[in-house]
Amino acid sequence: MKLINFRGINLPKNTTTTGIDITPLRPMDFYNVPLKYKNIPESEPCVNIGDEVKEGMVIAKPTGKFGVKIFSPTSGKVLNIFDKVTAWGEYCKHILIMNDNRNESVDLAEIESMSDVTLIERLKDAGLVDSIANMPTFLKYAYTGAKTYKTILVLLDDLDPNCTVSQTLAEFKMEEVINGAKYFMNITSAPYITFVLSEANKPLAEKLKKHIAENKKNYDYRIKFLPNKYPFANPYIMTRLLTGKKITGKTSFLNSGVVIETAESCYNLCRAVEFNKPVTRKMVTIDGDNIIRKGNYSIPNGVSYEKLIDFAGLIEKNEPIKIIEGNVLSGFAQYNKEISITLTTNSIVIQKYDQFAENGEFNCISCGKCSKVCPMSLNPERLETAYIDEDDDELKKLKVQSCIECGCCGFVCPSRRYVTQRIIDAKRYLKTDDGGKK
């Protein structure tokens, strides 16, 4: 059997947010709910300015079969519907809702059965979003037929330098995560659930075993471990390591017979099935060297960075800060504190500005470090050069679309070059109609 040895980088374990239970964010006066999540098509508002809404009420419906329902995070009044920029630099409609502090809510209808068809419909009706694949969760099962999945991997460990949501939910909401995983398994034809953790999280695996032994009869599962290395929780790498199957794109992934869910997806499905609750909140890790109350938070959809920072507290209030959505390796730096949290936000990093070099890029010294750490065995140096030279043929030859955007190359670059950003841009530009740069 051939040994698969992916490259990556060893990162210190996040100890500042590990082992801290989920903290619900206090109610806000206003929520600015975006109607588009990354690659998911923008939803269409189904409320008007002046309408009264309740928490859990549908405020936007999908356009076409690839969209997602969006629910109000609070009870209150719709003040405005307008275009506003998102965390990934696109404009989309936002619905501004003023909280009336009545705490009125509506639930989903009672689920009729536990059949695979009904459970898939519940995924759709509850508005579950896959924050890894950036697509509505139900589509993964409706696209090829749920029974084509023979293996279900449930990720209970983020293996991320700035995100600890999965392991936190697995530890403190274990019952809901276990039940949700079983519902996902019932959708597929997988004979058992495979829970996935890092080797550094073996104590959590023991807690999981004990909980299942004491509370769950006939619960068929396995536990597998990943090396404590970034970015081994990436779905392409994880699937290759644990199943031996090589995935080359999203379509191939959907036809691979392997499906991946997170602890949060399992938690949300459990609440949708057992408590009839739609998804109105996102579990987010708040981290960084300029935050007082680092931790894992349950945040209503549509809360702005500014309100989140006010709640978590800054160490140095009068100094410039850097806001990153995602981790410090592959996240997106934000220029506007009014940008809203969405259901695809996993972590927010607030750093002191002096931690980042401004205009500090130097010439490449051809040291080869970027190639040594690339988990996909690409050559980031040549990819960056091809991008700068606008050589589309070379980019295709170097398999630029195989980049998983983990940020390892930029992290280790001694010249502080924007390697990752240029490769991401190259991937996007190759997808334009003319095949070149805009």
Side-chain angles (χ1 to χ4, degrees), residues 221-342:
Y221 73 100
R222 308 287 188 275
I223 295 178
K224 290 191 175 183
F225 295 97
L226 292 171
N228 191 37
K229 201 171 187 179
Y230 177 85
F232 277 30
N234 176 276
Y236 298 98
I237 296 175
M238 179 167 59
T239 302
R240 184 82 185 278
L241 281 170
L242 299 182
T243 71
K245 294 187 177 182
K246 186 176 182 180
I247 312 298
T248 56
K250 187 177 289 187
T251 303
S252 298
F253 209 102
L254 290 168
N255 291 293
S256 68
V258 179
V259 65
I260 297 175
E261 295 298 342
T262 63
E264 187 170 9
S265 291
C266 295
Y267 174 80
N268 285 335
L269 180 55
C270 175
R271 284 176 52 80
V273 170
E274 298 181 7
F275 304 102
N276 305 313
K277 296 295 183 183
V279 181
T280 62
R281 307 176 76 91
K282 183 70 178 71
M283 309 300 175
V284 180
T285 300
I286 309 300
D287 198 13
D289 65 4
N290 201 24
I291 281 292
I292 296 172
R293 288 177 286 277
K294 300 178 179 72
N296 300 290
Y297 293 89
S298 172
I299 302 174
N301 191 13
V303 172
S304 69
Y305 292 148
E306 183 175 28
K307 297 301 181 184
L308 186 58
I309 291 170
D310 288 344
F311 181 82
L314 291 176
I315 296 173
E316 296 182 3
K317 295 182 179 180
N318 298 321
E319 297 296 324
I321 61 172
K322 178 83 78 172
I323 303 172
I324 302 172
E325 176 158 317
N327 65 45
V328 293
L329 284 86
S330 60
F332 288 86
Q334 305 297 316
Y335 70 94
N336 188 337
K337 291 191 293 184
E338 292 300 320
I339 288 173
S340 299
I341 297 291
T342 74

Side-chain angles (χ1 to χ4, degrees), residues 40 127-138 140-141 259-262 265 343-344:
I40 302 173
L128 268 74
V129 174
D130 188 320
S131 61
I132 296 179
N134 295 315
M135 63 189 298
T137 304
F138 81 91
K140 295 192 295 185
Y141 301 94
V259 65
I260 297 175
E261 295 298 342
T262 63
S265 291
L343 298 185
T344 57

